[in-house]
Amino acid sequence: MRPPTIRDVAERAGVSKSLVSLVLRGSDQVRPEKREAVLRAAQELGYRPNAAARSLSEQRTRTVGVLLNDLRNPWFVDLLDGLNSLLHANGLQMLLADARLNRRTGQDPADPLLDLRVDGLVVVGTLPDPAALGAVAERIPVVLAGSREPAPPGVDIVAGDDERGARLVAEHLIGLGHRRIAHIAGYGAVGELRRGSFEATMRRHGLADQVVVEPSDMTEEGGYRTTVRLLSRPERPTAVFAVNDIAAIGALSAAEELGLRVPRDLSVVGYDNTSIARLRHVWLTTVDNTSHEVGRRAARCLLERFEGACREGRVQLATPTLEIRGSTAPAP
Amino acid sequence: MRPPTIRDVAERAGVSKSLVSLVLRGSDQVRPEKREAVLRAAQELGYRPNAAARSLSEQRTRTVGVLLNDLRNPWFVDLLDGLNSLLHANGLQMLLADARLNRRTGQDPADPLLDLRVDGLVVVGTLPDPAALGAVAERIPVVLAGSREPAPPGVDIVAGDDERGARLVAEHLIGLGHRRIAHIAGYGAVGELRRGSFEATMRRHGLADQVVVEPSDMTEEGGYRTTVRLLSRPERPTAVFAVNDIAAIGALSAAEELGLRVPRDLSVVGYDNTSIARLRHVWLTTVDNTSHEVGRRAARCLLERFEGACREGRVQLATPTLEIRGSTAPAP
């Protein structure tokens, strides 16, 4: 039995050969149904497209290392799905490492992956020292996904557009009649971008003097304590926008404890659309980062560099959407 | 500068050399404070104990592959911590693979790890086809952690004691005066063991006729739908014991929707002590699987097999504890 060819995939999917090729290169110009059909056909046939490329350079392990910032916060799951779908369609497999665990043991977090000579590296989330990736990027392609910290030369960044996401939240709350809106802020580039855009949107709506910002450590406990402080002010805010879902969960508990009903007395919004925000028991209005798309684009960046694209690192932003659920309502 | 020796570690930790050796072999005979002190000293000094063993067999990659069943349910995080602490102290690093992602692409889930020639494999959670691990176990040591399915020959199992955990739950609820207690059951060996032990405990307390068991798919949505059915019965249960935390979260939503207050009108208990159960907004009574200990023991099994222990696979059970939080109260 001969191995399946690109022609077989095209036939099974009912599309042209050049469309299959477009899909496998991760093009944006293909409709989602067509893309799905091609990927499904490739999988069903066990099509491995890179036989030629593989024999070109026998040193390749056909493995991409994925360095996760911290497995405890599972916001990255959709991103991995997106990454995996395109890598697999190109005959590449993924291996993961948990940067937090490696850090605790004093290692450089990417070491285990590099020791096994992965062909490329995707860093998911924010590392404390992204500059250290510069040396790695001189040897293999490196992409930062879901992070906005400054990257070393030659490293691509793919992330959600935090400024747009924060603007959507502010406009949603203002549209519901809220005026006094508090922000539980975070840290790092992501924290700065979300806060800055929230403040700018409030200013544009003439609400600059209604802005309240309190810093947090982006944890549930931090969100809880910050919200207790916010709700004890003489001029209580009617809405709270938290820098991430987990801090927003803390805000929900604080409201409950102070006898305020969400959303009747207080609207709460998170960010990231994590699985926790989707729990019926929580049902949090939040920003969806289109993480699947971020993952797919990160895979495409890697593939282009595998094919020899040599260029400056670039920043690509995916467009987030607002998921309106049960934690926001018109201002009381 | 000479590399640190076991003597340096002992000195820094203020213990004997033989105690350091015991800790690095993962012995149970060492008090937790001493163990912590030794592991900390080893880390601070950058001690790599296996230099000799390493040179013995140059083919070793000093890497252990960890196959995770599904990254979306983060119950395994503490287990990885425990696994990592002991592996690292022995100069081994960890690489992860997500079985769900690999399955979706039609691969055998362990393939990427085996292709890179890991020295050993830890499977975390329940795979659909554990028998397939038999072939792997003939080449490298394999340990199943946190799963209770029958294992192929030569494979060790380390898990929490599900029967004991379910008994703790039943006794807690009975002690609170509950009589009519429902169980949201799960599937697989873990589901069977928890259900069987719950029923046996009820029988021992003369409550065999008060047992209500409904199956579920172990998801939030499944827990929700099952609980709606349970609470619509003419003889409504006053307590619900769910097979895992995520189904218990579904039960909380169902209670809320039907106008029942937890724990005043209905007690709810989960299983796994996931990060979601610990959220202040949820604060679920649940069973803690001592996952960190399960991870450490799994590491010890691997290390023993690396050192040449050749034996039948064996089953080791860690002793769970009950975490009593805000979702249980005396029967109404």
Side-chain angles (χ1 to χ4, degrees):
Chain A
M1 231 187 80
R2 62 170 181 80
T5 64
I6 198 166
R7 187 187 304 272
D8 299 324
V9 176
E11 230 163 63
R12 190 180 187 101
V15 303
S16 68
K17 257 174 43 182
S18 56
L19 194 128
V20 172
S21 165
L22 272 178
V23 169
L24 296 181
R25 287 208 311 274
S27 165
D28 258 348
Q29 312 302 315
V30 183
R31 287 215 311 277
E33 318 86 73
K34 296 274 183 195
R35 182 160 64 213
E36 277 305 305
V38 168
L39 293 176
R40 203 179 325 112
Q43 182 183 329
E44 286 163 1
L45 293 169
Y47 174 69
R48 295 287 185 121
N50 274 21
R54 232 182 289 157
S55 59
L56 267 177
S57 64
E58 277 301 328
Q59 309 96 311
R60 286 182 57 180
T61 56
R62 289 178 296 121
T63 302
V64 170
V66 179
L67 188 60
L68 299 167
N69 176 40
D70 184 348
L71 276 174
R72 292 174 302 179
N73 181 355
W75 63 270
F76 52 77
V77 171
D78 289 340
L79 196 157
L80 288 188
D81 272 354
L83 192 61
N84 192 53
S85 66
L86 197 52
L87 292 181
H88 178 75
N90 282 275
L92 292 157
Q93 51 198 14
M94 267 184 4
L95 272 188
L96 318 177
D98 181 336
R100 181 184 62 96
L101 290 180
N102 295 357
R103 254 196 316 273
R104 276 182 43 189
T105 57
Q107 273 181 303
D108 192 277
D111 273 357
L113 295 165
L114 300 179
D115 285 356
L116 295 181
R117 291 187 298 141
V118 295
D119 296 334
L121 182 66
V122 179
V123 177
V124 177
T126 301
L127 292 184
D129 182 17
L133 295 168
V136 180
E138 284 169 17
R139 292 164 46 198
I140 55 173
V142 177
V143 178
L144 300 186
S147 153
R148 297 289 296 278
E149 307 298 321
V155 171
D156 294 316
I157 290 186
V158 186
D161 183 342
D162 294 292
E163 293 179 287
R164 191 185 178 101
R167 178 164 65 74
L168 291 176
V169 173
E171 286 172 351
H172 171 59
L173 292 172
I174 294 167
L176 286 169
H178 293 278
R179 292 292 168 267
R180 194 152 189 79
I181 304 175
H183 178 50
I184 303 176
Y187 51 81
V190 160
E192 288 304 304
L193 289 165
R194 292 178 189 172
R195 181 180 58 71
S197 169
F198 164 72
E199 290 176 341
T201 310
M202 290 290 279
R203 273 199 303 277
R204 268 200 307 281
H205 286 80
L207 297 171
D209 57 336
Q210 302 289 315
V211 168
V212 191
V213 174
E214 286 266 1
S216 85
D217 59 1
M218 299 177 87
T219 66
E220 191 215 3
E221 181 64 21
Y224 169 81
R225 274 187 277 126
T226 302
T227 308
V228 167
R229 273 202 305 278
L230 285 169
L231 298 179
S232 315
R233 284 164 168 260
E235 297 226 290
R236 210 176 65 202
T238 62
V240 171
F241 163 36
V243 64
N244 64 3
D245 284 351
I246 197 81
I249 306 289
L252 293 179
S253 309
E256 201 177 317
E257 208 156 289
L258 295 171
L260 297 174
R261 309 251 330 236
V262 173
R264 201 192 59 189
D265 309 320
L266 182 76
S267 285
V268 176
V269 184
Y271 206 111
D272 289 339
N273 198 17
T274 55
S275 52
I276 294 177
R278 295 190 287 251
L279 292 174
R280 215 185 266 266
H281 184 62
V282 174
W283 211 236
L284 184 70
T285 297
T286 183
V287 177
D288 186 310
N289 261 323
T290 62
S291 293
H292 194 274
E293 175 62 18
V294 170
R296 272 181 30 83
R297 288 202 199 180
R300 197 163 60 224
C301 284
L302 268 193
L303 294 169
E304 285 172 8
R305 286 188 183 264
F306 286 151
E307 284 168 10
C310 188
R311 53 156 195 262
E312 283 303 289
R314 61 183 184 190
V315 177
Q316 279 190 57
L317 299 184
T319 305
T321 57
L322 187 68
E323 283 289 324
I324 299 174
R325 298 207 179 97
S327 65
T328 45
Chain B
M1 231 183 84
R2 65 173 178 79
T5 65
I6 196 167
R7 187 189 303 273
D8 299 324
V9 176
E11 229 165 64
R12 189 178 188 103
V15 303
S16 67
K17 257 172 46 181
S18 56
L19 195 128
V20 172
S21 165
L22 273 177
V23 170
L24 296 182
R25 288 208 311 276
S27 165
D28 258 348
Q29 311 303 314
V30 183
R31 290 214 311 277
E33 316 86 74
K34 296 273 183 196
R35 181 159 66 215
E36 278 303 304
V38 168
L39 293 176
R40 203 179 327 114
Q43 183 184 326
E44 286 165 359
L45 292 169
Y47 174 68
R48 293 290 185 118
N50 272 21
R54 233 183 291 155
S55 60
L56 267 177
S57 64
E58 278 301 328
Q59 308 95 313
R60 288 183 56 182
T61 57
R62 290 177 297 120
T63 301
V64 169
V66 179
L67 189 59
L68 299 166
N69 176 41
D70 185 348
L71 276 175
R72 290 173 305 178
N73 181 354
W75 63 271
F76 53 76
V77 172
D78 290 340
L79 197 157
L80 289 189
D81 272 352
L83 191 62
N84 192 53
S85 67
L86 198 52
L87 292 181
H88 177 75
N90 283 274
L92 293 158
Q93 52 199 14
M94 270 181 5
L95 272 188
L96 318 177
D98 181 336
R100 180 184 64 95
L101 288 180
N102 295 356
R103 253 194 318 274
R104 276 184 42 190
T105 57
Q107 274 182 300
D108 192 276
D111 273 357
L113 295 166
L114 301 178
D115 285 356
L116 296 182
R117 291 186 299 139
V118 294
D119 296 333
L121 182 66
V122 179
V123 178
V124 176
T126 302
L127 292 184
D129 182 17
L133 295 169
V136 181
E138 284 169 17
R139 292 166 45 199
I140 55 172
V142 177
V143 179
L144 300 186
S147 154
R148 297 290 296 276
E149 307 299 321
V155 170
D156 294 314
I157 291 187
V158 185
D161 183 343
D162 294 293
E163 292 179 286
R164 190 186 178 100
R167 179 164 65 73
L168 291 176
V169 173
E171 287 172 350
H172 170 59
L173 292 171
I174 294 166
L176 286 170
H178 294 277
R179 292 292 166 267
R180 193 151 190 80
I181 304 174
H183 178 50
I184 303 176
Y187 52 82
V190 160
E192 288 305 306
L193 289 164
R194 292 179 188 173
R195 181 180 56 69
S197 170
F198 163 72
E199 291 175 341
T201 309
M202 290 290 278
R203 275 198 302 277
R204 270 201 307 282
H205 286 81
L207 298 170
D209 58 334
Q210 301 291 315
V211 168
V212 190
V213 174
E214 286 266 1
S216 85
D217 59 1
M218 301 178 84
T219 65
E220 190 214 3
E221 181 64 23
Y224 168 81
R225 273 186 276 123
T226 303
T227 307
V228 167
R229 274 201 304 279
L230 285 167
L231 297 180
S232 315
R233 283 162 170 263
E235 297 224 291
R236 209 178 65 203
T238 64
V240 172
F241 164 35
V243 64
N244 64 3
D245 283 350
I246 197 84
I249 305 286
L252 292 179
S253 308
E256 201 178 317
E257 208 157 288
L258 296 170
L260 297 174
R261 308 251 330 236
V262 174
R264 203 192 58 189
D265 309 321
L266 182 76
S267 285
V268 175
V269 184
Y271 206 112
D272 289 339
N273 196 18
T274 54
S275 53
I276 293 175
R278 295 191 287 253
L279 292 176
R280 214 184 268 265
H281 184 62
V282 175
W283 210 236
L284 184 70
T285 297
T286 183
V287 178
D288 186 311
N289 261 323
T290 61
S291 293
H292 194 271
E293 176 62 17
V294 170
R296 272 182 29 85
R297 290 202 199 180
R300 198 163 59 226
C301 285
L302 268 193
L303 293 171
E304 286 171 10
R305 286 188 182 265
F306 286 150
E307 284 168 10
C310 189
R311 51 154 198 265
E312 284 303 287
R314 60 181 185 191
V315 177
Q316 279 190 58
L317 298 184
T319 306
T321 57
L322 187 68
E323 285 287 325
I324 300 174
R325 298 207 178 98
S327 65
T328 47

